[in-house]
Amino acid sequence: MTPLLIAALGLLMVATAFLSGLFGMAGGMILIGVLLALMPLPTAMVLHAITQMASNGWRAFLWRAHIRWRPVFVYLIGCALALGLWSLSRYVPDKPIALLLLGVTPFMARLMPANLKPNPGSIWQGSFYGFICMGLMLMTGVSGPLMDTFFLGGKFDRREIVATKATCQVASHLVKLVYFGGIIDQAASLDPVLAAVAIAASMLGTTLARRILEAMSDAQFRTWAGRLITTVASYYILYGGWLLVTRSSAMAF
């Protein structure tokens, strides 16, 4: 990559880390969409994993007093089961399918019956969502708005949502890094300079968001987070659908 492109990606990573630092969500979805447009899927996944580990790790440290540990451990049980299954299949989807999966999951979560609505305090739901979100992450790069919707479904306050989700995400992205960096057949490598820029940019964006999150109310947090999830998810449905249509048209000719 050219120095100019690395610098541009660094600025994007600051912005997306700021967004995730503010709402605990959405920044990673935006970043993976850009990386998928610029790089082969395995390389994009590895860079995204490093970026998100730095961003979420620093966010978890900043809000460590608000982490709810039981949901974290339960969630990781589901993640481990998903890694075992995907390590056997080593499935890597193409970009249109990955984008469509990113977009539809939050709407699926919202359509669930009332007695099955997301609840991060539930042990069985934590394991179930951990399994599904980890599988989605290994296919699309992020657990998408599904994980965001899951954590918004409980009675956690905004700090607990951001801190607990960030802790889960550190482990999830570590699993993704191992999977795309060593397990799959077309395992990717990464420029160390770009990796260093990604880590620094992610930590900076996360730090900048802290004071604004403190000033928000829980009601404001939930309202804007919900709108953000809907907007980003809708974009990926449209973009993934457009890629499928254009690919089908090209194959027809």
Side-chain angles (χ1 to χ4, degrees), residues 176-190:
K176 184 178 73 176
L177 177 63
V178 172
Y179 183 76
F180 285 98
I183 293 179
I184 64 169
D185 296 330
Q186 57 274 53
S189 59
L190 188 63

Side-chain angles (χ1 to χ4, degrees), residues 90-174:
R90 301 185 182 182
Y91 172 65
V92 179
D94 58 9
K95 291 181 183 180
I97 299 301
L99 290 166
L100 286 171
L101 286 170
L102 278 174
V104 300
T105 49
F107 299 107
M108 292 172 61
R110 292 174 183 177
L111 291 173
M112 293 176 68
N115 61 331
L116 294 177
K117 288 294 184 182
N119 175 18
S122 166
I123 294 178
W124 77 265
Q125 280 202 34
S127 298
F128 174 76
Y129 275 91
F131 179 82
I132 298 299
C133 288
M134 191 69 248
L136 188 62
M137 181 172 286
L138 295 177
M139 289 191 290
T140 67
V142 293
S143 50
L146 180 63
M147 187 177 187
D148 304 331
T149 302
F150 173 60
F151 277 98
L152 284 172
K155 297 181 179 179
F156 295 1
D157 68 27
R158 64 190 184 283
R159 300 177 189 86
E160 290 173 333
I161 292 172
V162 169
T164 307
K165 179 175 176 284
T167 306
C168 291
Q169 288 283 62
V170 173
S172 298
H173 286 288
L174 176 60

Side-chain angles (χ1 to χ4, degrees), residues 13-87:
M13 289 169 184
V14 171
T16 54
F18 176 83
L19 190 61
S20 290
L22 192 57
F23 294 107
M25 57 193 70
M29 282 188 67
I30 295 171
L31 180 60
I32 191 61
V34 175
L35 295 181
L36 284 173
L38 296 175
M39 306 171 180
L41 190 141
T43 304
M45 295 295 191
V46 168
L47 178 58
H48 188 262
I50 292 173
T51 304
Q52 295 303 294
M53 285 175 63
S55 175
N56 284 284
W58 187 238
R59 185 156 62 251
F61 176 77
L62 292 176
W63 298 102
R64 59 192 180 277
H66 300 278
I67 297 172
R68 299 280 290 267
W69 285 106
R70 192 181 79 161
V72 172
F73 292 130
V74 172
Y75 185 88
L76 293 182
I77 293 172
C79 291
L81 294 173
L83 176 63
L85 178 62
W86 257 259
S87 296

